[in-house]
Amino acid sequence: MSDPLIAPERARQFTPAERRALYDVINARRDVRNEFLPDPIAPDMLRRVLEAAHAAPSVGFMQPWNFILIRNAARRQAVHAAFAEANAEAQAMFDGEKRNKYAGLKLEGILKSPLNIAVTCDRSRGGKVVLGRTHNRDMDLYSTVCAVQNLWLAARAEGLGVGWVSIFRQEDLRGLLSLPDTVEVVAYLCVGHIDECFTQPELQARGWRHKLSLDDLIMDDHWQSNAPVERDV
């Protein structure tokens, strides 16, 4: 006989309005860089956003994430300096007109946003053998990315913008955040109130890339040779 305390319950059915709201939030999500307002984030709002992140799925229920809330001006200045150094290296990797276009992009809001959040993954959490991670060690990283997505969508629903800054040397962030050897930064996020945002992804609006057609990305049963292949020239 199954334990009634752990038996599944009838699944909640969502109304058309609730479903529409979810899809609206997903489609309204943007990577925000320059539109942050200086207004502080109310503690109860921030808590709701972090609770949403903490509700993300994780393989083996390992919950490998932590959320480092970074408000200190000096620390953020140091993080911005690390970004600027890595960004100069990244710019040099592009050629010709692409390099010029890259130089005109604003790719972070580290100092403009009122809050930075480093989402980390503790790769030792759960012990040496974790259910579901036995054959793919990176499932903890993938689980942490799910927490980032939850955070991002919840923030957008609350009227907050989020920008993911990825142009760092991992070792620079590790030192600035005093991370132990078992912990990696998965996402460095800039968070704050916004009253404006792009109606389409900013990189698309600025002509850096275009959105791929979903129909070109769907395959049946196996990889198909008509998958889109794009290379910058």
Side-chain angles (χ1 to χ4, degrees), residues 124-159:
S124 67
R125 193 164 296 166
K128 292 183 178 181
V129 181
V130 177
L131 186 155
R133 193 187 175 206
T134 53
H135 291 71
N136 187 341
R137 184 174 181 273
D138 291 338
M139 294 306 298
D140 56 344
L141 298 173
Y142 304 154
S143 298
T144 304
V145 172
C146 290
V148 174
Q149 178 78 338
N150 272 21
L151 185 156
W152 211 332
L153 294 176
R156 184 66 187 90
E158 295 279 1

Side-chain angles (χ1 to χ4, degrees), residues 11 25 31 33 36 40 46 62 93 105-106 141 149 156 158 162 170:
V25 171
D31 194 352
R33 285 89 177 250
F36 292 109
L46 177 59
M62 69 179 84
M93 297 177 187
L105 297 173
K106 181 173 176 57
L141 298 173
Q149 178 78 338
R156 184 66 187 90
E158 295 279 1
V162 176
Q170 181 80 205

Side-chain angles (χ1 to χ4, degrees), residues 79-93:
V79 171
H80 186 269
F83 160 83
E85 188 171 339
N87 194 48
E89 295 174 347
Q91 182 179 333
M93 297 177 187

Side-chain angles (χ1 to χ4, degrees), residues 33-229:
R33 285 89 177 250
N34 199 41
E35 292 74 42
F36 292 109
L37 301 174
D39 313 56
I41 302 170
D44 57 339
M45 179 183 289
L46 177 59
R47 181 72 185 192
R48 289 194 296 271
V49 169
L50 294 177
E51 289 282 6
H54 189 44
S58 64
V59 170
F61 203 45
M62 69 179 84
Q63 306 159 80
W65 44 71
N66 283 85
F67 308 96
I68 303 175
L69 309 181
I70 304 160
R71 299 184 178 92
N72 179 270
R75 192 176 304 274
R76 290 204 286 161
Q77 286 282 358
V79 171
H80 186 269
F83 160 83
E85 188 171 339
N87 194 48
E89 295 174 347
Q91 182 179 333
M93 297 177 187
F94 296 95
D95 296 320
E97 182 58 31
K98 205 73 170 177
R99 180 180 297 180
N100 294 335
K101 186 175 287 190
Y102 183 98
L105 297 173
K106 181 173 176 57
L107 299 176
E108 51 77 34
I110 297 167
L111 302 179
K112 190 168 185 179
S113 62
L115 175 67
N116 294 181
I117 303 178
V119 184
T120 63
C121 176
D122 185 346
R123 310 212 67 183
S124 67
R125 193 164 296 166
K128 292 183 178 181
V129 181
V130 177
L131 186 155
R133 193 187 175 206
T134 53
H135 291 71
N136 187 341
R137 184 174 181 273
D138 291 338
M139 294 306 298
D140 56 344
L141 298 173
Y142 304 154
S143 298
T144 304
V145 172
C146 290
V148 174
Q149 178 78 338
N150 272 21
L151 185 156
W152 211 332
L153 294 176
R156 184 66 187 90
E158 295 279 1
L160 300 172
V162 176
W164 186 332
V165 188
S166 60
I167 306 170
F168 291 111
R169 300 190 198 93
Q170 181 80 205
E171 60 269 23
D172 289 344
L173 279 185
R174 296 185 65 82
L176 290 169
L177 301 178
S178 303
L179 300 182
D181 291 342
T182 60
V183 174
E184 293 186 20
V185 176
V186 171
Y188 193 94
L189 306 176
C190 306
V191 185
H193 288 279
I194 56 171
D195 60 9
E196 296 180 337
C197 67
F198 283 83
T199 58
Q200 57 182 312
E202 184 176 353
L203 291 181
Q204 178 176 320
R206 297 191 182 281
W208 183 263
R209 292 291 301 271
H210 68 274
K211 186 172 183 177
L212 300 177
S213 167
L214 174 60
D215 290 333
D216 291 339
L217 305 175
I218 298 173
M219 303 177 185
D220 290 319
D221 295 322
H222 60 87
W223 185 268
Q224 295 164 359
S225 60
N226 61 346
V229 177

Side-chain angles (χ1 to χ4, degrees), residues 17-29 153 156:
E18 289 172 325
R19 293 197 298 271
R20 183 69 264 163
L22 173 62
Y23 292 122
D24 285 346
V25 171
I26 290 172
N27 288 314
R29 185 212 55 80
L153 294 176
R156 184 66 187 90

